[in-house]
Amino acid sequence: MGAYIVRRLAQAVPGLFLITAIVFLVIYLVPGDPAMVVLGQGANEENLAAVRARLGLDEPLHVRYVTWLSHIIQGDMGQSIISRQPVLDLIKRAFPVTAYLTLFSLVIAVLIAIPTGTIAALRRNTWADMVCTTWALAGVSIPSFWLGIMLIYVFSVRLRWVPIQGYVSPSEDVTASLKTMVLPALTLGVCLSGPLMRYLRSTMLQVLNQDYLVVARAKGLNERRVVMRHVLRNSFIPFITALGIQIGYLLGGAVIIEQIFALPGVGRLAVQAIGNRDFPVVQGVVLIVAFSFVLINIVVDALYSALDPRIRVGRGAS
């Protein structure tokens, strides 16, 4: 297992370098002059040139990339143009909020998707399957921003059970923290549970048609044991892939929810940086999210090999 993970990390290195190049090029192709953002519209050309020189914007593109990459390797993501704070410090403060929201949402989504997906597959073409499938369709179709606003109206404005907006860290007050995070996590969790439930139902239906289930039942295993040991275990292998991909999307895709609920996460930080043309912050956020996506894929591969050793052996042989 250890050698397999090391090999996967080594294979990810070229992809990570490609990510750095894409992030750097895309950000610097975005219209806007950071020097103009710093000095304002009325700045003269001499002052603008001085700021560009200080920020390294007067260097050739490849020189800027090599300089930026060397700093990234050393753990230096630069300094915010607006706040003059280190980008890494800004991300360190924002990333735990997004990670908290992501994990909370994922728990809710899994707690909804696994039971409904299992029931829908085992009770195919019955009223239970129809109810679960309708729930999944609603989760896929309902826009997350609309659901978030409706939850705020019902539980915050009308019932006053939870705050409308804001964030409290779990280290300060666990109860207050849960109250501030339950609605945004529920919003993302419900929307995520739809595609996860449909994916689990589809994979379980494929497994239920396999011949080894007939053999398991012929050996005298009861239905519950067949479902738990054979159906669910084999269905979880492709399900984990979908789950890992969704984690990556949640890390970068919670922008709207963080804006609606005023959560100081990575998504909100990126939106503010884009509005201010604060390119070092945008680069840092995109880079961290992209790296997280790659690492999540490696973790998913490791879980794959743990659930099915044939995957590890087959890839090792190739």
Side-chain angles (χ1 to χ4, degrees):
M1 174 68 76
Y4 174 73
I5 295 176
V6 170
R7 186 167 63 250
R8 287 291 292 113
L9 288 172
Q11 293 172 352
V13 171
L16 293 176
F17 275 106
L18 180 61
I19 288 172
T20 61
I22 293 174
V23 169
F24 181 85
L25 290 174
V26 168
I27 295 301
Y28 276 97
L29 289 176
V30 173
D33 187 357
M36 189 73 71
V37 173
V38 174
L39 298 178
Q41 297 291 332
N44 58 49
E45 190 59 37
E46 181 180 355
N47 291 334
L48 289 173
V51 172
R52 293 191 189 103
R54 179 171 61 84
L55 297 176
L57 300 177
D58 56 343
E59 298 286 344
L61 189 62
H62 67 278
V63 174
R64 281 186 280 168
Y65 171 69
V66 172
T67 302
W68 176 73
L69 182 60
S70 64
H71 290 165
I72 291 295
I73 294 175
Q74 297 172 22
D76 179 12
M77 292 187 172
Q79 194 177 66
S80 169
I81 296 175
I82 304 301
S83 66
R84 301 294 180 87
Q85 299 182 56
V87 173
L88 192 58
D89 290 347
L90 295 175
I91 294 176
K92 282 181 178 179
R93 289 197 295 267
F95 191 82
V97 180
T98 301
Y100 181 15
L101 174 61
T102 298
L103 293 177
F104 201 168
S105 305
L106 200 63
V107 169
I108 293 175
V110 169
L111 290 177
I112 296 173
I114 291 180
T116 55
T118 303
I119 293 172
L122 297 179
R123 300 290 185 266
R124 183 180 182 183
N125 297 329
T126 64
W127 66 268
D129 182 19
M130 185 177 299
V131 170
C132 294
T133 304
T134 302
W135 170 270
L137 183 61
V140 173
S141 304
I142 295 176
S144 60
F145 68 88
W146 182 86
L147 180 59
I149 293 172
M150 291 300 101
L151 291 177
I152 289 175
Y153 176 74
V154 173
F155 294 102
S156 297
V157 177
R158 302 293 297 181
L159 299 177
R160 298 183 179 180
W161 288 356
V162 294
I164 296 178
Q165 291 181 330
Y167 173 74
V168 177
S169 172
S171 60
E172 298 176 7
D173 189 333
V174 175
T175 303
S177 177
L178 291 175
K179 286 183 177 180
T180 59
M181 292 297 288
V182 64
L183 290 188
L186 185 61
T187 302
L188 287 177
V190 168
C191 294
L192 179 60
S193 67
L196 289 178
M197 175 268 169
R198 295 176 63 186
Y199 199 85
L200 181 60
R201 177 183 181 274
S202 177
T203 54
M204 285 190 67
L205 289 176
Q206 293 177 6
V207 173
L208 285 169
N209 293 324
Q210 299 299 317
D211 293 336
Y212 61 81
L213 292 183
V214 178
V215 176
R217 292 188 179 99
K219 289 181 177 180
L221 296 179
N222 60 54
E223 191 64 22
R224 181 178 179 181
R225 193 170 182 182
V226 170
V227 171
M228 296 299 295
R229 175 172 292 187
H230 298 285
V231 179
L232 278 177
R233 181 173 181 178
N234 288 286
S235 299
F236 277 160
I237 296 176
F239 180 75
I240 286 176
T241 301
L243 199 61
I245 293 173
Q246 294 299 331
I247 295 175
Y249 283 130
L250 281 176
L251 285 172
V255 176
I256 297 176
I257 301 303
E258 290 181 358
Q259 286 291 105
I260 292 174
F261 291 93
L263 298 176
V266 170
R268 195 176 186 203
L269 177 65
V271 170
Q272 293 173 347
I274 292 171
N276 294 328
R277 296 296 190 272
D278 198 345
F279 293 153
V281 175
V282 178
Q283 282 179 317
V285 169
V286 174
L287 199 61
I288 288 296
V289 172
F291 278 17
S292 300
F293 204 102
V294 172
L295 292 177
I296 288 169
N297 285 331
I298 293 175
V299 172
V300 169
D301 281 350
L303 291 175
Y304 250 58
S305 62
L307 289 173
D308 190 349
R310 295 174 301 174
I311 296 174
R312 181 170 69 249
V313 174
R315 292 182 179 179
S318 60

